[in-house]
Amino acid sequence: IFTHGGLRSYIINKKYLIPWTVSSIGNSNSIVLKKLYSEYFERVLIGFQLGLDNYIDLLYLTTGKFERMMRKQISYGYSDVFGIIDTTGSASGTSNSFDIVKKAVYELLEKNELLLLWYGFLGEEYIFSKYEYDSMLKYFNDLSYITDEIKVFFSSNLSNAICCSVFLFRKKQLTGSGISLRLNSTEALNSAIQEAKNITVVYKNKSYGHYKNLTRLWSHQYWHRIWGI
């Protein structure tokens, strides 16, 4: 089951439009709706910090110590303390705090692994067997024709966890992507594949899709220069 939505958009301090659209995938309506609301509240609550002048106790995972800090220093964009905050990891849930923190750290790591792959070309391509590749094409195109070429890359630049990035093309145009970080490469691959399909199906033929500003010429020239597509 694929879902996509957004409850309400917010502008903070009359100039910051914080992220508000979300999507999720799962095996039941209950699961996808819980994941949808969870992601929405995570993204919005991070953005809300920009407009707050009070303090919060910040935990440094490397030292286990707390420090009092203004909330707006730990949101999106520029921070006087941390500089440019260009990636974030967030998580919420009803399980124990260790699992929630681990999920947030995983998300932060996978975003930075993607940046290292995209800009630094730090990763290795996974070569499918013909059977695997044909099965992947069938899986992605079962609802509608969304891809004719799949590229998968693995990287572990920042930790011992394995990050898998999946890129989908159609006629050399980048049409979708998915990413996942796990301690097991098979789990990372399966999760990244699910995310790639979810995002691609959700934004297919949408004027606001993530890939609408990427021209066919740009996609072809960029990937041909880097990975010989």
Side-chain angles (χ1 to χ4, degrees):
I1 300 173
F2 305 98
T3 62
H4 173 73
L7 298 183
R8 181 179 177 181
S9 60
Y10 294 91
I11 298 178
I12 305 299
N13 296 337
K14 297 182 179 181
K15 61 179 179 179
Y16 300 113
L17 176 62
I18 61 179
W20 62 281
T21 59
V22 290
S23 59
S24 65
I25 184 173
N27 295 322
S28 70
N29 291 332
S30 175
I31 291 176
V32 296
L33 285 175
K34 288 178 181 178
K35 293 172 69 174
L36 199 74
Y37 277 99
S38 177
E39 181 171 316
Y40 172 78
F41 288 122
E42 288 169 19
R43 303 184 77 183
V44 169
L45 287 175
I46 292 176
F48 276 171
Q49 310 308 311
L50 286 168
L52 300 176
D53 292 325
N54 58 328
Y55 286 80
I56 191 173
D57 290 325
L58 181 68
L59 171 64
Y60 284 90
L61 294 179
T62 53
T63 63
K65 296 181 179 179
F66 286 91
E67 180 179 336
R68 297 283 287 174
M69 188 170 297
M70 293 191 69
R71 289 178 178 270
K72 63 182 179 181
Q73 299 295 339
I74 56 171
S75 187
Y76 302 112
Y78 177 77
S79 165
D80 294 330
V81 178
F82 300 107
I84 299 297
I85 301 177
D86 55 1
T87 55
T88 59
S90 61
S92 60
T94 58
S95 59
N96 63 73
S97 59
F98 177 82
D99 290 338
I100 295 174
V101 170
K102 183 174 73 172
K103 184 175 180 292
V105 171
Y106 274 25
E107 182 175 293
L108 181 63
L109 286 172
E110 72 180 22
K111 289 179 179 179
N112 282 277
E113 284 284 359
L114 178 60
L115 290 176
L116 291 173
L117 174 66
W118 188 270
Y119 295 107
F121 321 132
L122 299 177
E124 295 184 3
E125 182 178 0
Y126 177 74
I127 305 301
F128 290 102
S129 67
K130 185 179 185 306
Y131 174 79
E132 288 177 321
Y133 194 76
D134 290 343
S135 297
M136 287 291 177
L137 287 174
K138 183 178 180 181
Y139 170 74
F140 280 113
N141 294 318
D142 63 346
L143 297 177
S144 60
Y145 183 56
I146 59 177
T147 182
D148 56 24
E149 190 168 12
I150 306 166
K151 291 290 181 177
V152 174
F153 298 89
F154 285 101
S155 60
S156 297
N157 298 296
L158 302 173
S159 70
N160 62 338
I162 301 168
C163 184
C164 179
S165 303
V166 176
F167 301 96
L168 306 180
F169 297 86
R170 182 178 177 184
K171 298 180 180 179
K172 300 301 181 183
Q173 169 99 30
L174 182 62
T175 58
S177 64
I179 184 172
S180 179
L181 184 137
R182 298 286 191 276
L183 294 178
N184 179 282
S185 59
T186 301
E187 292 178 0
L189 174 62
N190 291 336
S191 179
I193 287 171
Q194 285 188 341
E195 181 175 272
K197 185 173 183 179
N198 185 23
I199 291 176
T200 307
V201 170
V202 163
Y203 288 108
K204 185 176 182 289
N205 299 324
K206 296 290 193 302
S207 60
Y208 54 82
H210 287 224
Y211 309 99
K212 288 299 180 181
N213 293 325
L214 302 182
T215 65
R216 184 169 300 172
L217 179 62
W218 183 94
S219 296
H220 176 70
Q221 289 180 342
Y222 185 86
W223 292 99
H224 177 76
R225 178 173 65 87
I226 304 307
W227 288 299
I229 295 176

